[in-house]
């Protein structure tokens, strides 16, 4: 068996041919379902044409054809035939579900969602986001495989659309779908897509390459045959029988090489690749030995992807040698099974012969990828995969118009509102997710469509800070609250000062017109009237001091102690009222002091429930340490410590780092993450490291309300069998 998949546009493909191809590998398939979906799609698309002028149905047929080549299950093939009927023919997902079952309907709905994404940027990071989004949205990985088949056929027939559209679609394919195919290990699709992208993005280079490769074709065919004969002969000497094939490499990989080395086509030597397929792993290494002893290997070009498979599951031996005619040739050696995985990647998991026809495999492929990655150097790749799976990276939601927004994991409709516009955020009164009313604390999921309801009379309140996840939303709310506080301080200050002057029978209005008023600004170094009010309102300047600064009042001896007393008690009362409202702002209460800058020490990072002590720092307010913090107890200046208490009215999520040491076991990271999420604790980040003795070390940054929630989290992780220790750091 030698798989070389070709996905070219097949004009004559019809139902009978599809059935024949499925029968070839799965005689017991549900052909009734296949016939039914075919007839359904044909009826739905009746009268619609492709840009090529052909009947539209040729497109879904080709998509199904590709899925059959990948040996996908019947639900995927049926979904391939129906993939455009919801979007293009106005058929409802409910009807698809009624006619073809839930699985097919879900795949078709997933495809429709992906087709609504507006890919508009070329920026690498953005492209990565979109790829993650596609993965996150496709709860069922088959959605992505059908999408790739769809894109494959669209690329195959791209010459029929306008130049501008060609470039746009090809760039999008290169940015989004080629990396997806690569990550899923579907190399046959990846290789073809890349060549097609080159053809439409850089036609001049593509056709020059095609011409040169073609020019040498007859010459090369002879050469390939010679090389195969020589290798086969060598292998036979050692009693090895194997399938051998040679081909010219994909244009795109030649192009990449030309770019990377800055050389022209003539200087690229190894444009030929040979593949040796054998029965088992022992034979792979045996063939490698024979090849290396028969031809001179190029140093540094041997790669053992059998011992260390690629993250997408790819396994093979690669080597480059000086061939029989003194030319460099690349030789890949692998088993038939490895070859199937190399060509079809994750799709291989759905092939019929393994009886994996049912869905719900969402996580399994990730688990399998993880098993390949016990090696240290690939840890970051592994984490990327896990990250996508767990959505730690973010969630992707739609505006009612279909624009995409990326939000932090755990984001709420309020985060979304602030992502749209600050004014929308401030005025939010409610939201609809997928058409249903939800509370503002509702957690959004990838793929949700979010609508925000606003009201002119709405404004942010402090508890909103607990409802949002994003830094942007938080800072916008804080800014607003700060302004409100300034405004209320201003009003308070003005009220107190006016009252004070009235007591002395002086009109404030008139006083401001006199030159003596100017001296007040100077004395208290304030810029203007508003500033003075704010300072008074926030308690930094007392109204008594201001009154005493007015020369005319002093001169006429109007300032009596009883009146001063009255001003003071009035000010106190008013201030108390305002302060009581703002006391919820700080996590920590410092006895007898207000408006102090309080921050948590980085060395011990206290959370509510920890015994705490405050430490007065010069110019930086008060730093709060845990009672057992070593930095604190080593500190000489005991006189600067101060009693502090947790503010019970203050509720906030605190980030805490915990280290988990485990026995090395595939999927352990994902298992721990799931455990943490299952008790409703959010993970902000995760890091992994391999330790000697087959152990793993993970550091999780989690968000907890207080000490008891932290204990609960640690307890839950400790209960996992493979976990050795859990420590707060
Ligand atoms: Mn399509």
């Amino acid at each position: 068996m030698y798989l070389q998949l070709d996905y070219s546009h097949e004009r004559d493909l019809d139902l009978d041919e599809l059935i024949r191809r499925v029968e070839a590998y799965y005689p017991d398939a549900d052909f009734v379902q296949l016939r039914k979906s075919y007839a359904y799609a044909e009826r739905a698309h009746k009268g619609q044409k492709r840009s090529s002028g052909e009947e539209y149905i040729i497109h879904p047929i080709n998509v199904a054809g590709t899925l059959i080549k990948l040996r996908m299950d019947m639900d995927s093939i049926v979904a391939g035939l129906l993939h455009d009927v919801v979007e293009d023919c106005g058929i409802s997902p409910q009807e698809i579900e009624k006619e073809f079952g839930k699985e097919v309907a879900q795949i078709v709905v997933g495809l429709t969602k992906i087709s609504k994404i507006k890919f508009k940027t070329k920026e690498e990071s953005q492209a990565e986001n979109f790829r993650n989004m596609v993965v996150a949205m496709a709860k069922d990985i088959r959605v992505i495989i059908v999408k790739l088949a769809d894109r494959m056929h669209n690329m195959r027939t791209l010459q029929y659309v306008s130049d501008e559209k060609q470039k746009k679609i090809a760039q999008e394919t290169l940015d989004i779908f080629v990396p997806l195919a690569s990550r899923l290990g579907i190399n046959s699709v990846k290789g073809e897509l890349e060549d097609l992208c080159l053809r439409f993005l850089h036609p001049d280079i593509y056709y020059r390459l095609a011409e040169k490769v073609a020019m040498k074709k007859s010459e090369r065919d002879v050469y390939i045959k010679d090389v195969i004969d020589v290798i086969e002969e060598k292998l036979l000497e050692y009693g090895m029988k194997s399938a051998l094939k040679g081909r010219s490499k994909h244009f795109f990989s030649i192009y990449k090489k030309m770019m990377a080395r800055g050389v022209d086509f003539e200087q690229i030597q190894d444009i030929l690749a040979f593949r040796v397929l054998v029965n088992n792993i022992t034979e792979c290494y045996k063939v490698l030995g024979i090849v290396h002893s028969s031809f001179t290997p190029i140093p540094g070009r041997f790669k053992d992807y059998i011992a260390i498979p690629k993250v997408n599951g790819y396994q093979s031996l690669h080597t480059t040698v000086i061939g029989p005619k003194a030319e460099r040739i690349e030789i890949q050696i692998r088993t038939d099974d490895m070859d199937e995985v190399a060509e079809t990647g994750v799709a291989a998991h759905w092939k019929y012969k393994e009886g994996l026809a049912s869905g719900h495999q969402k996580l399994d492929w990730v688990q399998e990828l993880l098993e390949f990655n016990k090696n240290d150097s690939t840890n970051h790749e592994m984490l990327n995969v896990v990250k996508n799976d767990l959505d730690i990276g973010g969630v992707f939601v739609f505006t009612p118009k279909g624009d995409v927004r990326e939000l932090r994991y755990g984001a709420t409709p309020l985060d979304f509102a602030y992502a749209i516009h600050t004014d929308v955020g401030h005025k939010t009164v409610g939201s609809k997710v997928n058409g249903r009313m939800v509370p503002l604390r509702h957690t959004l999921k990838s793929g949700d469509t979010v609508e925000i309801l606003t009201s002119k009379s709405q404004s942010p309140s402090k508890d909103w800070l607990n409802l949002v996840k994003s830094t942007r939303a938080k800072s916008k709310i804080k800014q607003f609250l700060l302004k409100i506080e300034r405004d209320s301080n201003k009003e308070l200050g003005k009220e107190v000062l006016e009252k004070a002057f009235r007591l002395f029978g002086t009109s404030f209005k008139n006083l401001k017109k006199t030159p003596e008023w100017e001296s007040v600004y100077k004395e208290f170094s304030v810029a203007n009237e508003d500033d003075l009010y704010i300072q008074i309102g926030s308690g930094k300047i007392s109204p008594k001091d201001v009154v005493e600064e007015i020369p005319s009042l002093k001169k006429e001896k109007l300032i009596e102690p009883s009146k001063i007393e009255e001003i003071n008690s009035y000010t106190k009362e008013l201030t108390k009222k305002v302060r009581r409202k703002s006391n919820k702002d700080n996590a920590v209460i410092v006895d007898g002091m207000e408006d102090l800058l309080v921050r948590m020490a980085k060395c011990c990072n206290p959370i509510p429930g920890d015994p705490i002590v405050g430490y007065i720092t010069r110019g930086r307010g008060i730093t709060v340490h845990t009672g057992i913090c070593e930095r604190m107890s080593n500190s000489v200046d005991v006189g600067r410590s101060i009693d502090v208490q947790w503010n019970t009215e203050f509720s906030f999520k605190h980030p805490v780092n915990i280290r988990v040491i485990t026995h090395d076991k595939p999927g352990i990271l994902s298992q721990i993450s799931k455990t943490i999420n299952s008790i409703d604790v959010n993970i902000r980040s995760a890091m992994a490291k391999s330790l000697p003795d087959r152990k793993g070390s993970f550091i999780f940054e989690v968000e907890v309300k207080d000490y008891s929630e932290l204990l609960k989290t640690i307890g839950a992780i400790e209960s996992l069998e493979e976990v050795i220790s859990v420590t707060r750091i």
Side-chain angles (χ1 to χ4, degrees), residues 121-134:
T121 170
K122 289 175 193 166
E123 257 179 79
E124 179 55 31
S125 62
Q126 278 292 82
E128 180 63 32
N129 283 345
F130 283 121
R131 289 199 291 274
N132 290 344
M133 167 177 53
V134 172

Side-chain angles (χ1 to χ4, degrees), residues 501-667:
F501 282 114
R502 262 205 309 279
L503 266 175
F504 297 101
T506 309
S507 154
F508 188 37
K509 232 174 164 181
N510 291 337
L511 190 67
K512 275 190 291 186
K513 288 175 190 153
T514 66
E516 54 183 4
W517 183 244
E518 287 290 319
S519 65
V520 172
Y521 289 172
K522 256 184 222 137
E523 177 61 29
F524 296 102
S525 352
V526 294
N528 52 41
E529 203 179 315
D530 282 354
D531 203 7
L532 179 71
Y533 295 149
I534 290 165
Q535 300 284 338
I536 293 171
S538 65
K540 290 187 180 105
I541 299 172
S542 82
K544 161 184 161 277
D545 292 342
V546 179
V547 169
E548 283 174 347
E549 243 352 273
I550 309 295
S552 56
L553 291 181
K554 260 194 239 169
K555 209 162 61 195
E556 288 166 44
K557 296 208 166 49
L558 283 169
I559 303 174
E560 300 162 18
S562 67
K563 284 183 182 171
I564 293 291
E565 188 63 34
E566 202 174 329
I567 296 173
N568 280 345
S569 74
Y570 177 73
T571 309
K572 217 173 186 175
E573 206 173 297
L574 261 186
T575 314
K576 224 187 220 165
K577 248 188 235 163
V578 176
R579 287 284 167 271
R580 200 171 298 140
K581 273 195 285 175
S582 66
N583 212 9
K584 281 182 193 152
D585 266 4
N586 272 338
V588 165
I589 304 170
V590 186
D591 276 344
M593 286 190 230
E594 278 160 1
D595 261 1
L596 264 174
L597 186 61
V598 174
R599 55 184 200 99
M600 298 302 147
K602 285 213 179 75
C603 48
C604 53
N605 187 29
I607 55 170
D610 280 328
I612 44 171
V613 59
Y615 189 76
I616 303 165
T617 53
R618 283 192 191 91
R620 279 190 307 174
I622 289 176
T623 309
V624 178
H625 293 259
T626 63
I628 51 161
C629 177
E630 282 185 24
R631 277 270 288 278
M632 187 63 191
S633 54
N634 289 341
S635 161
V636 238
D637 203 350
V638 187
R640 274 157 65 190
S641 67
I642 185 171
D643 274 350
V644 290
Q645 281 153 6
W646 290 107
N647 181 358
T648 48
E649 285 180 65
F650 183 85
S651 165
F652 209 73
K653 292 284 186 186
H654 302 261
V656 179
N657 285 320
I658 46 182
R659 177 185 286 128
V660 182
I661 308 283
T662 70
H663 292 294
D664 193 12
K665 189 200 158 217

Side-chain angles (χ1 to χ4, degrees), residues 50 56 59-60 63 83-84 88 147 150-151 154:
R50 294 278 287 169
Y56 195 89
H59 170 59
V63 171
H83 79 273
D84 276 333
D88 294 348
K147 180 69 204 176
D150 176 32
R151 181 51 59 109
N154 286 336

Side-chain angles (χ1 to χ4, degrees), residues 408 461-471 473-475 477-478 481 584-588 600 605-609 646-656 681-682 684 702-710:
R408 285 182 67 143
S461 63
K462 261 168 207 149
D463 55 324
W464 281 21
L465 288 170
N466 295 324
L467 295 182
V468 296
K469 284 276 172 194
S470 79
T471 338
K474 267 184 194 151
S475 82
I477 295 169
K478 273 186 192 154
L481 294 174
K584 281 182 193 152
D585 266 4
N586 272 338
V588 165
M600 298 302 147
N605 187 29
I607 55 170
W646 290 107
N647 181 358
T648 48
E649 285 180 65
F650 183 85
S651 165
F652 209 73
K653 292 284 186 186
H654 302 261
V656 179
V681 168
N682 188 31
R684 281 170 70 152
V702 294
E703 290 181 327
V704 293
K705 198 168 81 235
D706 54 23
Y707 190 63
S708 72
E709 195 167 83
L710 176 66

Side-chain angles (χ1 to χ4, degrees), residues 382-420:
M382 155 181 132
L383 256 182
N384 280 339
V385 175
V386 177
K387 209 171 86 176
N388 291 330
D389 185 43
L390 297 175
D391 277 4
I392 289 173
V395 291
F396 301 89
V397 296
F398 293 102
T399 68
K401 281 184 188 156
D403 281 334
V404 180
R405 301 282 158 159
E406 183 187 2
L407 301 170
R408 285 182 67 143
Y409 182 75
T412 62
L414 206 48
D415 283 296
F416 175 82
Y418 277 99
I420 298 296

Side-chain angles (χ1 to χ4, degrees), residues 5-9 66 69-70 152 156 188-189 192 343:
L5 303 183
D6 172 15
Y7 303 95
S8 54
H9 175 45
T66 293
K69 278 179 189 156
L70 291 171
M152 180 66 107
R156 274 282 177 192
S188 54
V189 167
E192 285 227 29
E343 291 291 323

